[in-house]
Amino acid sequence: MEKAGRDQKERQVTRRFDVVVLGAGAAGMMCAFRAGQRGRSVLVVDHAKAPGEKIRISGGGRCNFTNLHAGPRNYLSANPHFAKSALARYTPRDFLDLVERHKIAWHEKTLGQLFCDDSAKDIVRMLLAEMRAADVVLELQVQPTAVEKTLDGFRILTSGGPVDAGSLVVATGGKSIPKMGATGFAYEIARQFGLKIVETRPGLVPLTLDPHMLEKLSPLSGVAVQAEVRHGKTSFREALLFTHRGLSGPSILQISSFWREGDDVKLAIEPDLDMAQQLKAARKANGRQAAQTALSENLPKRLAQFFVESQGIAGNLADLSDKAIEKLAASIRDWTIRPAGSEGYRTAEVTIGGVDTSDLDSRMMQAKAVPGLYFIGECVDVTGWLGGYNFQWAWASGHVCGEAL
Ligand code: FDA
């Protein structure tokens, strides 16, 4: 009797939706409104106080919301082909059309990177407006605690009570920036349902140096310069920043996703300049000039001083042989550094690895062995370069999933 009463009570309080989306981030919100537009009843649950917090802080508050050149080659994954289908079916132009329909002003900063003119909050507001228009229910500060398979879908136990769903979409992101509420919840659910996880590690993250190297480079802290940073066959030409912990800036964040502990990275400072030729020309024009002064024509002063001192050069340009100049130039063009580690998930922009794509259908992001269960966005083993690629993956994977629900 007592049990029957309890069952009846549970039936009364267990709400049912066609779709429950866990995570009101970039991928979750995109997926939710697309499914809502297609007539599905959709609930989005998030434990945070506000939706889209990473969107809000992204791109220095202006959100680098896509990249015009986004294609499969801009992503790391154990299966580089997996992202092709979603990226082809929802392109940067598709997202830009949405941005323009909402009259959000934008600009291309560099290398195809599109940013809001005003604020990243415009993107969050846009996604919320789309969700409202599609009658999506959003519940914040609700903690999902467990997921169970039922005969006709899933039961999600949450701090707000149980919810039944025909389909469950996991969009809780990766582990980066735990302070902002990032959790490994998606991986737990994936494991619970037998999906494999590709080992996770921090990506797009500053690299740290050992104390000895740090002391040597400490005078450079705060110096920024153009550089080509190389790891094996992969290289990026963007800004490099020396910090009080080690190395940062776009070129380092990019290479950090490829770097593994114990590996070297190679730096070519100002790779477009022929330093040897410049120094020889300066020696011809004014031999009494100090090498450091001549070098600081093309390099930040402190960096010029660092290279000159590292080569033990003290005199004027006229005192330097061709060989000495070429050696100095080579030290600038071909600098090998072995980072000690990375700053970790505390500051990483993304998590590399995640739900193994071999267990997912690339057209709709459904778990192959668990009909009705979907994984989208950063929790999947697809990680973009720096420059708007990660949001494009979130939009694209969210969109194709929403189309399938
Ligand atoms: P996302 O992390 O956006 O959303 C996950 C949601 O799930 C969050 O709302 C979270 O609260 C919720 N959640 C997590 N665990 C939960 C749990 N256990 N229960 C309930 N809810 C839970 N990319 C880019 O393309 N351009 C850029 O400019 C930037 N800039 C940038 C700056 C910084 C500082 C960071 C940290 C990251 C970026 N990125 C970026 C990366 C980008 O933010 C990231 O790839 C996407 O937000 C991923 O979208 P998702 O929806 O998958 O996860």
Side-chain angles (χ1 to χ4, degrees), residues 11 22 60 186 192 206 290 307 324 350 401:
R11 263 200 304 280
L22 302 181
Q192 176 190 340
F307 282 120
V350 286
C401 178

Side-chain angles (χ1 to χ4, degrees), residues 46-352:
D46 199 299
H47 66 175
K49 274 193 193 145
E53 279 293 86
K54 280 198 183 160
I55 301 174
R56 184 179 59 80
I57 62 154
S58 67
R62 292 240 162 86
C63 186
N64 179 192
F65 56 79
T66 193
N67 191 301
L68 289 176
H69 312 306
R73 68 175 285 269
N74 307 113
Y75 295 86
L76 288 84
S77 172
N79 176 3
H81 301 293
F82 180 81
K84 278 184 182 168
S85 172
L87 290 173
R89 283 167 51 213
Y90 193 80
T91 64
R93 187 64 243 181
D94 291 325
F95 191 76
L96 195 52
D97 286 346
L98 181 64
V99 166
E100 288 178 339
R101 274 205 303 281
H102 285 258
K103 306 204 178 338
I104 297 172
W106 59 274
H107 61 280
E108 180 178 350
K109 200 168 170 187
T110 171
L111 307 168
Q113 301 169 6
L114 305 191
F115 285 76
C116 297
D117 281 0
D118 298 324
S119 166
K121 287 183 198 162
D122 288 340
I123 300 291
V124 180
R125 280 193 282 266
M126 173 187 85
L127 297 168
L128 289 173
E130 290 288 337
M131 289 208 294
R132 264 194 308 276
D135 288 328
V136 172
V137 179
L138 170 63
E139 293 184 354
L140 297 168
Q141 293 183 282
V142 172
Q143 185 71 63
T145 50
V147 172
E148 296 164 2
K149 183 85 190 79
T150 57
L151 276 179
D152 56 354
F154 299 86
R155 173 159 296 178
I156 302 102
L157 306 180
T158 80
S159 57
V163 189
D164 282 346
S167 302
L168 175 63
V169 181
V170 184
T172 50
K175 296 185 200 170
S176 353
I177 324 229
K179 242 182 162 175
M180 293 190 67
T183 66
F185 194 58
Y187 315 130
E188 282 172 38
I189 300 180
R191 281 198 194 95
Q192 176 190 340
F193 286 96
L195 280 79
K196 296 182 292 300
I197 303 293
V198 174
E199 192 189 350
T200 57
R201 61 194 165 90
L204 302 182
V205 63
L207 297 176
T208 56
L209 298 172
D210 65 41
H212 171 72
M213 192 67 177
L214 209 52
E215 197 189 331
K216 202 172 146 201
L217 298 190
S218 65
L220 300 181
S221 179
V223 169
V225 68
Q226 274 302 113
E228 181 178 283
V229 180
R230 177 175 293 278
H231 174 268
K233 286 185 181 154
T234 310
S235 65
F236 291 93
R237 268 185 193 212
E238 287 182 67
L240 163 76
L241 176 69
F242 295 89
T243 73
H244 63 288
R245 288 200 186 87
L247 303 171
S248 189
S251 61
I252 291 293
L253 299 187
Q254 297 280 31
I255 216 71
S256 73
S257 296
F258 297 84
W259 177 82
R260 299 297 187 115
E261 223 149 286
D263 290 353
D264 290 337
V265 292
K266 288 194 179 294
L267 314 180
I269 307 294
E270 292 293 359
D272 294 329
L273 293 178
D274 185 338
M275 291 290 179
Q277 196 199 5
Q278 301 263 344
L279 288 170
K280 284 177 194 171
R283 182 181 58 186
K284 201 169 169 194
N286 178 7
R288 282 189 307 184
Q289 205 179 12
Q292 188 181 319
T293 313
L295 206 53
S296 53
E297 291 288 314
N298 292 308
L299 289 183
K301 251 189 182 158
R302 280 187 277 159
L303 199 55
Q305 182 179 359
F306 173 83
F307 282 120
V308 167
E309 285 175 1
S310 299
Q311 292 300 311
I313 294 169
N316 294 337
L317 283 174
D319 303 329
L320 296 184
S321 63
D322 278 1
K323 207 171 154 202
I325 284 181
E326 275 150 23
K327 202 165 157 237
L328 174 60
S331 73
I332 299 166
R333 199 183 50 236
D334 200 3
W335 187 8
T336 302
I337 290 187
R338 178 166 298 180
S342 85
E343 290 188 8
Y345 289 119
R346 190 178 61 80
T347 61
E349 281 198 16
V350 286
T351 302
I352 298 174

